[in-house]
């Protein structure tokens, strides 16, 4: 069978070669974007007098028929037509006759595929921002319930200072807020129309690129035809942003996995998001959290794939660029799936408040507070640090904690210690006092929650 572009060829490839070069197996995901872009293109051709109004109307109705069939998954794509563009063009000519071939006037597959992927990314990035909003809402609701839940904060995965569990949750809220900002800013570069750039040099036809941009709700047009068909920066930027979001999800998943272990018991993941063991009947495994953590590497891989594909390409379009779609499609699917699972998991998580509060009563996370107590009495911090360090060592040697030390031991360490030190060292009081801006004090956390609500 001759190709739609096969006029100058005297031989045809074998089927397995066609299959290797075809992209229809994956770029059929762009069917709605491809047809929508074509409707805008033919509308412009008519308004500019390049196509007769009657011809344009026939083509437009044919495209609308195909769009309706696409909505119902009724289109049959074929490898011999290579990609989404030629498949739709063949279906269109079958639908409306030879006039369908006029659709490709003043257009190349190069600017067509670029338009499709811009439309696709605009839709998907907007959807991902909405998903992040939903996740943030869940985190804020959970944080509001646990403003005064005392939780051990860590550095180096060692107990550091007691904090509000709500404060810990809000740390992720702000990570996801930055992710939203990055995605929103990227829309400025996604929301640009390459349609009308042609293969690489524009066209001799009197087209109106601003009109097609307006019809497709693009905010601007590419200023250079070479750049329009060669640019995949916006896809690389998306994969970078997606990698950042997955990294944040992975960090949170790592904590949930630790917290749900027998050693921590700080949280329990819902049975809906856990699995059992085929051998050990007692097991409850945090598989969904582990899968998200694992799928993070998959998204990182997509970013590296795109960077590698693009790094040595001369202008303008090269067939290598066909390899841009699968990594992007996979990243979108993986990211959206991970966000949906993670949001559901956090909606149904059980927080073991008593376990958290017990943990901070059996450690030395209030040691910094004891140093601050001495600083408030006029002792330089470095001296206070040494005094408290020696008291901690004494506690360790005697298998007790700072709140268990008798007053005479405190007095031996420094005459500045008074009976109020015990109240000062209570974990609840330790957290309650830390109300510096962005701190873990209850008032500061409540203020942060109100600020967070405004961002959603």
């Amino acid at each position: 069978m001759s190709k739609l572009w096969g006029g100058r060829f005297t031989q045809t490839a074998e089927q397995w070669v066609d299959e290797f070069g075809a992209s229809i197996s994956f770029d059929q995901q762009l069917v709605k974007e491809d047809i929508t872009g074509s409707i805008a293109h033919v509308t412009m051709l008519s308004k500019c007098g390049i196509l007769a109004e009657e011809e344009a109307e026939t083509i437009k109705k044919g495209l609308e028929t195909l769009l309706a069939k696409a909505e119902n998954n009724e289109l049959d794509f074929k490898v011999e037509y290579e990609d989404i563009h030629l498949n739709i063009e063949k279906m269109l000519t079958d639908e409306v006759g030879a006039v369908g071939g006029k659709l490709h006037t003043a257009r190349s597959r190069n600017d067509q595929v670029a338009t499709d992927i811009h439309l696709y990314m605009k839709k998907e990035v907007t959807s991902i921002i909405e998903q992040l909003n939903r996740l943030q809402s869940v985190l804020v609701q959970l944080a509001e319930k646990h403003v005064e839940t005392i939780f051990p904060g860590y550095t180096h995965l060692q107990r550091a200072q007691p904090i509000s569990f709500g404060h810990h949750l809000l740390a992720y809220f702000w990570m996801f807020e930055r992710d939203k900002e990055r995605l929103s800013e990227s829309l400025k570069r996604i929301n640009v129309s390459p349609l009308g750039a042609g293969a690489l040099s524009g066209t001799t036809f009197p087209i109106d690129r601003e009109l097609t941009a307006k019809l497709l709700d693009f905010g601007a047009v590419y200023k250079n035809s070479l750049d329009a068909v060669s640019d995949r920066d916006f896809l690389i930027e998306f994969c970078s942003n997606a990698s950042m979001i997955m990294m944040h999800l992975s960090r949170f998943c790592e904590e949930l996995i630790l917290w749900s272990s027998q050693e921590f018991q700080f949280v329990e993941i819902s049975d809906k998001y856990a699995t059992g063991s085929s051998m050990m009947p007692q097991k409850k495994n945090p598989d969904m959290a582990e899968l998200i953590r694992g799928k993070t590497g998959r998204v990182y891989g997509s970013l590296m794939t795109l960077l590698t594909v693009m790094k040595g390409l001369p202008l303008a379009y090269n067939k290598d660029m066909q390899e841009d779609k699968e990594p992007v499609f996979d990243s979108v699917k993986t990211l959206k799936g991970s966000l949906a699972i993670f949001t559901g998991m956090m909606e149904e998580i059980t927080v073991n408040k008593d376990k958290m509060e017990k943990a901070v009563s059996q450690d030395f996370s209030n040691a910094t507070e004891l140093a601050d107590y001495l600083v408030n009495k006029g002792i330089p911090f470095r001296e206070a640090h040494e005094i408290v360090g020696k008291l901690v060592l004494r506690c360790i040697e005697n298998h007790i904690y700072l709140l268990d030390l008798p007053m005479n031991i405190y007095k031996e360490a420094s005459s500045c210690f008074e009976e109020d030190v015990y109240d000062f060292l209570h974990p609840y009081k330790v957290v309650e006092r830390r109300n510096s801006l962005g701190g873990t004090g209850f008032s500061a956390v409540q203020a942060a929650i109100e600020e967070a609500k405004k961002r959603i």
Side-chain angles (χ1 to χ4, degrees), residues 272-325:
K272 297 178 184 178
Y273 301 96
T275 64
S277 164
S278 62
M279 180 181 179
M280 297 166 284
Q282 84 282 8
K283 292 293 295 299
K284 180 178 178 180
N285 301 323
D287 275 15
M288 295 304 105
E290 291 173 350
L291 266 178
I292 292 170
R293 186 177 61 181
K295 285 178 181 290
T296 299
R298 184 174 182 143
V299 177
Y300 290 1
S302 294
L303 173 59
M304 291 310 301
T305 295
L306 279 181
L307 286 168
T308 305
V309 165
M310 297 302 297
K311 73 175 183 63
L313 296 187
L315 298 176
Y317 184 83
N318 298 270
K319 186 70 167 178
D320 314 48
M321 293 165 72
Q322 180 173 292
E323 292 298 304
D324 64 351
K325 294 170 199 63

Side-chain angles (χ1 to χ4, degrees), residues 155-167:
T155 64
H156 307 277
L157 204 56
Q158 303 294 317
R159 299 273 181 88
Q161 293 178 294
I163 61 173
S164 155
F165 185 56
H167 185 61

Side-chain angles (χ1 to χ4, degrees), residues 34 37-38 41 103-109 111-112 195-196 198-199 203:
D34 196 74
S38 290
H41 182 66
L103 172 62
H104 210 55
T105 305
R107 186 175 68 173
S108 164
R109 282 188 293 175
D111 60 335
Q112 191 176 356
L195 194 54
T203 178

Side-chain angles (χ1 to χ4, degrees), residues 300 303 375 383 430:
Y300 290 1
L303 173 59
V375 170
E383 184 180 339
V430 169

Side-chain angles (χ1 to χ4, degrees), residues 390-430:
K390 290 177 179 178
L391 287 171
V392 168
L393 178 60
R394 186 159 186 168
C395 287
I396 292 171
E397 290 171 343
N398 289 277
H399 308 292
I400 59 175
Y401 300 100
L402 290 171
L403 280 169
D404 302 323
L405 281 174
M407 180 51 62
N408 65 300
I409 300 298
Y410 275 118
K411 285 291 189 181
E412 284 178 19
S414 172
S415 60
C416 293
F417 285 117
E418 304 290 344
E419 287 292 336
D420 63 348
V421 72
Y422 295 107
D423 183 64
F424 199 85
L425 286 178
H426 191 281
Y428 185 91
K429 297 291 186 180
V430 169

Side-chain angles (χ1 to χ4, degrees), residues 19-30 113 117 120-121 232 235 238-239 298-299 301-303 305-306 309 319-335:
E19 289 173 354
F20 182 79
S23 60
I24 190 58
S25 63
F26 51 86
D27 69 9
Q28 60 185 267
Q29 291 188 54
L30 298 172
V113 68
I117 200 71
Y120 171 84
M121 287 311 307
R232 295 298 184 270
L235 297 182
F238 167 73
C239 285
R298 184 174 182 143
V299 177
S302 294
L303 173 59
T305 295
L306 279 181
V309 165
K319 186 70 167 178
D320 314 48
M321 293 165 72
Q322 180 173 292
E323 292 298 304
D324 64 351
K325 294 170 199 63
E326 286 183 287
V328 170
F329 293 157
D330 190 73
S331 291
V332 168
K333 180 181 178 181
T334 301
L335 177 56

